Amino acid sequence: MGKPRHRQQLVLTLLFGLWFPCCLTQTTPPSRTNLGPTPSSSPQTERLKVRLAGYPRKHNEGRIELFYKGEWGTICDDDFSTANANVLCRQMGFVSATGWTHSAKYGKGQGKIWLDNVLCNGGEKSIEFCKSRGWGNSDCTHDEDAGVVCKDERIPGFVDSNVIDVSDRNVEEVRLRPVVVTAKKKLPITEGVVEVKHKDGWAQICDLGWTIKNTRVVCGPNRLYLERQKNFFLIHSVGCTGTEVHLAACPMEFSKPNATWPCTGGMPAVVNCMPGPLFTQNSSLKKKIKVSSNVRLKGGARMGEGRVEVLKDSEWGTVCDDRWNLQSASVVCRELGFGSAKEALTGARMGQGMGPIHMNEVKCLGNEKSVWSCPFKNITAEDCKHVEDAAVRCNTPYMGLENSIRIVGGRSSYEGRVEVQVGSKWGTVCSTGWTTKEAMVVCRQLGLGYSMHAITETWYWDSSNVTEMVMSGVKCTGNEMALSQCQHHKTVNCQRAAAKFAAGVICSETASDLVLNASLVQQTVYIEDRPLHMLYCAAEENCLSKSAAKANWPYGHRRLLRFSSEIHNIGRADFKPKAGRHSWVWHACHGHYHSMDIFTHYDLLNANGTKVAEGHKASFCLEDTDCQEGVSKRYECANFGDQGITVGCWDLYRHDIDCQWIDITDVKPGNYILQVVINPNNEVAESDFTNNAMKCNCKYDGHRIWLHNCHIG
């Protein structure tokens, strides 16, 4: 099986959009009732109407709908292209298209699917002049409705009436206004009056006929505010099914403009939302809330976003993005303790996974408790590749965490000295023990992505009048949402308390992610008895166990456990050494520069985790050995070249090169655990440190060795 015909795509940033049609234009209609395989040039007296619809979206994007024979209908995404999108965007008065979407990205339309297999060359004045199967001739379903993203720039002098619908009956933004005074001081706010944006203010919804299904939809993406205002009922009733990702998608009845009291017998609708365990401060409630253990998000910089991975037969795998939409993404978000999905991302936007792809064409209705309960297809290797891994961005409660921290003095908003608010006082953070993990938390708390560098001297960023140190001894796991959640001293105690030694960060929207090919380790492992006279270079680089120093050189041998290491960069940024080339160390024995002091640990552990043998810890020559199709090598060690691993490439250390081993000369026969850890000190930032370790069960009989159950994490 190949890819579906519509696999070209541009992944879009989706915002809560207008539910009702907003963009209309009139152009010359079809010259005949069936467009057929060729365009028409006959003059017409009636104009073809085109509009953007769906949710959530901006005014310049959406599902394409055409008004033909008195009925609105959609266009199938088969054979859709940027050329088609350009024609449609210009037809609506935009200068061009920046992309298009497939698989009903903006929700499924209703009624007819008017056009299929549309083929424009890009210069047509109207979609009617493009080739297609003809009006109403389609083998598609509304799961395949096409959408476009137009450049937000109007054609000068364009006079057709395709401006944004100025009706006040759009539900673009929803909020909860707390009604209890004490609730206003606690975040997240989970209970309050439901309000919708209306003109320059906010309006309420009448609670007559309000159901738990409506509440489910409101609790997904709601934002929270604190203002008070008089009641004004814009919406008389709402009828959600509970599967919608936003209130805008629900059928609703708007109040009549001349009604004296549009909510007779009712009150403003009030909801009480249940936050996920990450967002509740009630420890007993936190224990009761269950989240999925066989679904996880990987590779995301912010809370509630990442590549979707699912557990099957004790092995984690990814989800292919064919038919991936907001309904399926929302099921994933909710089972992980978040709200509904804000975005359903395709095209490995959160990095490529490794290993199997467990699901394809997931088709959730939106009310399932787990993505495993949704219909999906099992796939073969030909169906999908990891460049099509699906991802999500979930709605999360507003916690206000960014208000108690800031970075100042940097060259951009992504770098600077860290300052935190303790009580009413702002101050600096002690840099003693400041590492990538602590810096990661700072960048996450500020919504600035990942930490590229943890800075321990910030004298060159001293542009603030804040000089007092208010936090020290900070030690984070790296998963916290705020620096205040990390361990730290109750009383400030810093050996280097001067302002120039305050902690700083450099953040980035992307990061690398290294993963070892576990199956290759298992396939290539063997034992070699290597003569000592061939190990002088290895001894110089400390690649042998301590007992080798007492050996009768050059006589005798060392028993080596050898295997190949293939280290992939599956992240969204190149992996590069922290130190610049001016500080790299030349090793004449092996004839290359070492760019990192410690890149990988190789250890043999007994059943209780104690080391019985360890491999070399010397730095490596980092380079691109090979890359996946379409990716070019950037790094090569030869001739003092740049070192690193490009996204989509891997660095291979063959089993037969020096130091690619563990010296097991002193190890007795028995059962052990082989452990390989990449970037063990987290010296270089990665989007995910949990996949840096590989473990294998190991059986050694004194002559041969067997590995089984090799796994990451």
Side-chain angles (χ1 to χ4, degrees):
M1 291 288 291
K3 292 300 304 163
R5 290 168 286 179
H6 55 272
R7 293 306 302 144
Q8 289 182 334
Q9 60 186 291
L10 176 66
V11 179
L12 308 173
T13 301
L14 303 178
L15 301 173
F16 301 144
L18 308 181
W19 169 237
F20 291 91
C22 70
C23 295
L24 301 177
T25 185
Q26 293 185 335
T27 57
T28 308
S31 61
R32 48 190 176 186
T33 57
N34 191 320
L35 185 63
T38 56
S40 167
S41 58
S42 301
Q44 295 296 317
T45 58
E46 187 181 354
R47 291 182 173 183
L48 178 68
K49 296 179 182 179
V50 184
R51 72 182 182 188
L52 295 174
Y55 60 91
R57 64 183 180 85
K58 298 178 183 177
H59 66 276
N60 57 318
E61 62 180 290
R63 180 178 64 248
I64 281 292
E65 295 190 351
L66 308 175
F67 191 72
Y68 177 68
K69 284 193 171 181
E71 184 177 354
W72 286 103
T74 62
I75 300 178
C76 181
D77 58 16
D78 289 349
D79 293 330
F80 209 83
S81 66
T82 302
N84 296 356
N86 274 321
V87 171
L88 287 161
C89 287
R90 286 198 303 271
Q91 197 168 346
M92 291 184 289
F94 297 99
V95 294
S96 63
T98 60
W100 62 276
T101 67
H102 62 88
S103 306
K105 190 80 172 184
Y106 299 100
K108 295 186 287 188
Q110 297 179 343
K112 298 282 189 180
I113 299 176
W114 279 127
L115 295 177
D116 189 6
N117 299 112
V118 179
L119 296 171
C120 302
N121 61 34
E124 295 86 352
K125 292 184 177 180
S126 172
I127 197 71
E128 66 187 283
F129 299 126
C130 301
K131 295 180 180 180
S132 76
R133 296 179 59 164
W135 288 95
N137 184 8
S138 172
D139 59 357
C140 299
T141 68
H142 281 295
D143 285 318
E144 301 167 82
D145 285 343
V148 297
V149 184
C150 302
K151 185 176 182 180
D152 195 8
E153 182 181 341
R154 306 292 294 170
I155 297 174
F158 193 88
V159 295
D160 280 343
S161 58
N162 67 335
V163 295
I164 298 174
D165 186 358
V166 295
S167 167
D168 63 358
R169 302 207 167 177
N170 302 313
V171 176
E172 184 173 1
E173 191 170 354
V174 182
R175 76 178 189 181
L176 294 186
R177 177 169 54 83
V179 292
V180 181
V181 175
T182 56
K184 299 179 182 180
K185 300 179 181 179
K186 298 179 180 179
L187 292 176
I189 300 170
T190 58
E191 183 176 18
V193 176
V194 182
E195 296 187 333
V196 295
K197 190 71 182 290
H198 176 64
K199 297 182 179 178
D200 294 328
W202 295 86
Q204 291 76 47
I205 300 175
C206 183
D207 69 353
L208 293 175
W210 188 267
T211 68
I212 190 66
K213 293 179 179 179
N214 297 344
T215 299
R216 172 182 169 86
V217 175
V218 168
C219 286
N222 71 80
R223 295 177 63 189
L224 308 167
Y225 297 81
L226 305 179
E227 301 92 0
R228 294 178 62 86
Q229 65 177 51
K230 292 178 63 178
N231 290 340
F232 169 73
F233 294 97
L234 176 68
I235 300 172
H236 179 70
S237 64
V238 180
C240 301
T241 65
T243 62
E244 297 88 351
V245 299
H246 191 269
L247 192 66
C250 301
M252 58 186 71
E253 180 182 344
F254 286 82
S255 302
K256 296 180 180 179
N258 57 355
T260 55
W261 182 250
C263 190
T264 303
M267 296 288 290
V270 175
V271 301
N272 189 347
C273 304
M274 176 71 74
L278 288 172
F279 309 101
T280 181
Q281 298 176 0
N282 186 321
S283 56
S284 59
L285 181 61
K286 186 178 294 189
K287 294 178 181 178
K288 293 180 181 179
I289 304 172
K290 302 294 184 183
V291 295
S292 177
S293 60
N294 57 10
V295 179
R296 68 185 185 186
L297 301 182
K298 286 291 185 179
R302 298 168 181 84
M303 196 64 63
E305 70 174 28
R307 179 178 62 252
V308 179
E309 295 189 353
V310 293
L311 185 65
K312 180 181 179 183
D313 298 330
S314 300
E315 186 174 16
W316 288 98
T318 61
V319 176
C320 187
D321 62 11
D322 290 350
R323 307 300 181 201
W324 186 245
N325 60 23
L326 283 169
Q327 277 69 34
S328 299
S330 290
V331 171
V332 169
C333 290
R334 286 190 171 114
E335 71 174 302
L336 291 175
F338 305 110
S340 57
K342 184 161 45 178
E343 295 180 68
L345 303 172
T346 57
R349 279 278 298 280
M350 292 292 174
Q352 298 181 33
M354 287 189 69
I357 301 174
H358 286 320
M359 291 181 168
N360 187 24
E361 297 195 24
V362 180
K363 296 182 180 179
C364 300
L365 297 175
N367 56 3
E368 296 88 350
K369 291 186 177 181
S370 172
V371 70
W372 283 108
S373 302
C374 303
F376 67 89
K377 290 184 178 179
N378 293 310
I379 68 170
T380 62
E382 291 77 22
D383 289 328
C384 284
K385 306 295 181 185
H386 281 296
V387 293
E388 301 160 84
D389 284 342
V392 298
R393 281 198 178 104
C394 305
N395 285 297
T396 58
Y398 176 68
M399 301 292 288
L401 299 174
E402 73 281 2
N403 297 326
S404 59
I405 192 168
R406 64 193 182 196
I407 53 177
V408 298
R411 296 163 297 179
S412 73
S413 59
Y414 281 78
E415 67 177 33
R417 188 176 70 184
V418 178
E419 294 182 355
V420 297
Q421 187 178 30
V422 178
S424 60
K425 182 189 300 182
W426 283 91
T428 61
V429 179
C430 178
S431 65
T432 303
W434 188 254
T435 70
T436 300
K437 288 186 176 181
E438 288 73 43
M440 279 286 190
V441 175
V442 170
C443 294
R444 179 183 300 118
Q445 185 175 353
L446 289 168
L448 297 178
Y450 308 96
S451 165
M452 285 295 97
H453 297 290
I455 310 299
T456 56
E457 290 190 25
T458 54
W459 53 269
Y460 43 85
W461 284 337
D462 190 15
S463 65
S464 170
N465 58 2
V466 173
T467 57
E468 184 178 355
M469 196 161 282
V470 296
M471 185 179 286
S472 64
V474 182
K475 187 175 181 59
C476 305
T477 65
N479 298 319
E480 295 87 351
M481 291 190 291
L483 203 63
S484 59
Q485 297 173 358
C486 302
Q487 295 180 20
H488 58 276
H489 294 155
K490 292 182 179 180
T491 303
V492 176
N493 180 13
C494 186
Q495 295 177 352
R496 302 193 303 174
K500 70 176 184 178
F501 295 120
V505 296
I506 299 177
C507 304
S508 173
E509 287 291 338
T510 59
S512 61
D513 187 14
L514 299 188
V515 180
L516 183 69
N517 184 343
S519 61
L520 184 64
V521 174
Q522 191 167 335
Q523 294 165 12
T524 56
V525 69
Y526 65 97
I527 288 176
E528 179 193 11
D529 288 333
R530 193 165 184 82
L532 282 173
H533 68 82
M534 300 176 68
L535 293 173
Y536 281 102
C537 275
E540 180 184 310
E541 296 199 14
N542 298 316
C543 296
L544 302 175
S545 62
K546 294 178 180 178
S547 65
K550 301 176 182 179
N552 186 23
W553 291 79
Y555 308 104
H557 67 271
R558 304 298 293 181
R559 177 157 289 186
L560 308 176
L561 170 61
R562 309 196 69 148
F563 51 88
S564 296
S565 292
E566 187 178 86
I567 300 166
H568 292 246
N569 183 359
I570 64 172
R572 291 185 286 154
D574 293 355
F575 183 95
K576 293 185 285 189
K578 181 179 179 180
R581 64 170 64 205
H582 63 279
S583 61
W584 295 354
V585 179
W586 172 255
H587 282 254
C589 209
H590 286 137
H592 60 236
Y593 284 93
H594 284 175
S595 58
M596 293 179 66
D597 290 334
I598 299 176
F599 180 63
T600 309
H601 283 180
Y602 299 155
D603 297 307
L604 199 64
L605 315 174
N606 61 20
N608 62 15
T610 303
K611 290 182 184 180
V612 296
E614 56 187 22
H616 86 148
K617 300 176 183 178
S619 60
F620 280 74
C621 167
L622 297 170
E623 63 181 0
D624 296 325
T625 304
D626 207 350
C627 304
Q628 63 190 40
E629 185 178 354
V631 179
S632 300
K633 299 179 183 180
R634 295 182 183 177
Y635 302 102
E636 186 175 4
C637 291
N639 302 317
F640 199 36
D642 283 341
Q643 292 195 26
I645 306 176
T646 305
V647 175
C649 299
W650 53 91
D651 195 359
L652 174 63
Y653 301 98
R654 286 174 50 89
H655 55 82
D656 54 0
I657 67 173
D658 252 11
C659 295
Q660 188 59 37
W661 61 58
I662 298 177
D663 184 349
I664 61 170
T665 305
D666 307 318
V667 175
K668 298 177 181 179
N671 294 320
Y672 299 97
I673 297 171
L674 170 64
Q675 177 177 271
V676 178
V677 184
I678 307 166
N679 192 19
N681 295 339
N682 303 332
E683 183 179 334
V684 177
E686 298 186 48
S687 60
D688 184 7
F689 290 117
T690 65
N691 58 9
N692 283 27
M694 182 218 70
K695 291 184 178 180
C696 299
N697 293 330
C698 176
K699 183 178 181 180
Y700 174 49
D701 68 358
H703 303 283
R704 294 176 297 174
I705 199 159
W706 296 267
L707 299 184
H708 62 96
N709 191 27
C710 292
H711 61 280
I712 301 295

